Amino acid sequence: MERVVLRNIGLLLSGDLHRPILDADTVLVVNGKIAAVGREKDIHCEGAELVVDAKGTCLMPGLIDSHVHPVAGDWTPRQNQIGWIDSYLHGGVTTMVSAGEVHTPGRPKDVVGLKAMAVFAQRAFSAFRPGNVRIHAGAPVIEHGMVEEDFKDLAAAGVTMLGEVGLGSVKDGATAHTMVGWARKYGLQSTIHTGGPSIPGSSLIDKDIVLAADADVIGHINGGHTALPDEQIVELCEKSPRALEIVHNGNERAGLLALRTAGELGKLGQVILGTDSPAGSGVQPLGILRMISMLASLGEIPAEVAVCFATGNTARIRKLDGGLIEVGRAGTFVLIDRAQHSSGKTVLESIERGDLPGIGMVMIDGMVSAGRSRNTPPAGVVAEVVS
Ligand SMILES: [Zn+2]
């Protein structure tokens, strides 16, 4: 599709924390990228191959799950489920970031093996996009014995990030700091596991290790599931300039504490969201929507701001293409409306009351990936392809 027009948008959420609502009703996408955002009368809409009538519903950027654990294809051995990525698409997730392919049966822990697996996962998920969902994978879990040259090799082979530090044998702050530094030197992003062990075999990573490691993302600051004591979470928010990631499969109370603390410190720009799934607690197709709703309702954050945590913030911090409604970005959108029979009068009010929005359509790179979601409560009004 060369030219795509989305018109009659009732509410446009930008994903940008500084201006979360845009005064616009039309978006033009050319060759998969946003080419114009504004009022229909001001945009050159002729010659479009695809026209979507939003019917007055709400458009927001495609959601980004900052913390997934893919393995191979659309299968997770952790719960022996297939089709989980396609299910998340029906929860509005259009981009996923791997925090390590850690559930791979027989995952290699020797240096040659873990590097080979990272390169394999990066290649395989670059080429495999169920429902067009983009999966950034190939995230090796660091182990003792790795040297600087290994990080250089990984970068040269196309690997762009590390899996959760702490899930391998490196669990001390000094070694983690050294290896995270090597990763950063060669352009690899890093994430650290935070809190108690998630499954047998993983272990406690406390605030001292997290601060010493200084990874780019404080992975699940609210625990995965077991959270650090409150004072340690507060200290991490106060002292770290890095991303503060809150996950679905973490401790909800700790997540709300992290959100409140980040807000008080003026650090909402550092808050990003993930599911930390598939995991012991399963597969959560609506996990990111549930986080937005939970943080907006119990955290008393405007819904349009909570959306930014799972879109613009993550895109900026992780240097991704989508996540914002602005010219030049990917034409990747979710069209939502207040769910049928929500007590909220508008879609934003419904989210602030703790309800989930209904998804009417998902578009990725200017193409329709899903119509009315099979997983969310039904949207009151659903966008429609009109030509
Ligand atoms: Zn973890």
Side-chain angles (χ1 to χ4, degrees), residues 67 164 167 193 198 220 276:
H67 194 132
E164 280 177 77
L167 296 187
H193 172 97
S198 33
H220 52 65
D276 191 2

Side-chain angles (χ1 to χ4, degrees), residues 67 69 99 164-165 167 191-194 196-198 202 219-220 223-225 245 276:
H67 194 132
H69 289 297
E164 280 177 77
V165 174
L167 296 187
T191 299
I192 189 162
H193 172 97
T194 308
S198 33
S202 76
H220 52 65
H225 190 115
E245 184 192 72
D276 191 2

Side-chain angles (χ1 to χ4, degrees), residues 114-295:
L114 75 88
K115 284 165 67 181
M117 193 178 90
V119 175
F120 163 75
Q122 189 278 331
R123 293 292 189 282
F125 282 106
S126 299
F128 175 69
R129 295 181 59 178
N132 219 10
V133 174
R134 191 180 292 281
I135 304 136
H136 297 273
V141 174
I142 56 173
E143 302 281 354
H144 279 290
M146 292 181 79
V147 295
E148 180 174 344
E149 199 68 14
D150 293 315
F151 294 83
K152 192 178 176 188
D153 287 351
L154 285 164
V159 171
T160 60
M161 61 200 168
L162 300 183
E164 280 177 77
V165 174
L167 296 187
S169 56
V170 175
K171 301 174 192 296
D172 65 289
T175 311
H177 180 81
T178 301
M179 292 192 182
V180 161
W182 286 334
R184 191 169 285 135
K185 179 174 172 185
Y186 296 105
L188 274 66
Q189 274 212 345
S190 52
T191 299
I192 189 162
H193 172 97
T194 308
S198 33
I199 48 175
S202 76
S203 49
L204 169 71
I205 302 289
D206 67 12
K207 57 103 178 157
D208 293 323
I209 303 172
V210 173
L211 289 171
D214 193 31
D216 296 305
V217 176
I218 298 182
H220 52 65
I221 191 168
N222 60 322
H225 190 115
T226 311
L228 294 174
D230 287 3
E231 58 275 16
Q232 292 202 24
I233 292 173
V234 169
E235 193 175 330
L236 287 175
C237 291
E238 284 170 349
K239 290 190 175 164
S240 178
R242 306 298 182 185
L244 309 170
E245 184 192 72
I246 303 175
V247 303
H248 182 274
N249 289 345
N251 177 317
E252 289 90 345
R253 196 189 64 82
L256 288 164
L257 171 67
L259 176 75
R260 201 160 48 243
T261 308
E264 285 164 8
L265 294 167
K267 289 183 165 186
L268 289 182
Q270 289 167 235
V271 175
I272 63 176
L273 305 184
T275 53
D276 191 2
S277 69
S281 49
V283 159
Q284 290 93 23
L286 305 184
I288 295 294
L289 279 182
R290 284 170 54 83
M291 289 296 292
I292 289 169
S293 181
M294 193 269 282
L295 297 177

Side-chain angles (χ1 to χ4, degrees), residues 21 33 74-75 79-80 97 119 129 132 279 345 359 366 382:
I21 297 178
K33 303 276 185 201
D74 201 353
W75 168 62
Q79 300 303 340
N80 203 16
V97 182
V119 175
R129 295 181 59 178
N132 219 10
K345 297 267 185 298
I359 290 177
V382 171

Side-chain angles (χ1 to χ4, degrees), residues 75-99:
W75 168 62
T76 172
R78 173 58 58 186
Q79 300 303 340
N80 203 16
Q81 268 180 261
I82 54 170
W84 69 275
I85 296 168
D86 187 68
S87 268
Y88 283 46
L89 168 67
H90 281 256
V93 173
T94 55
T95 303
M96 299 180 166
V97 182
S98 174

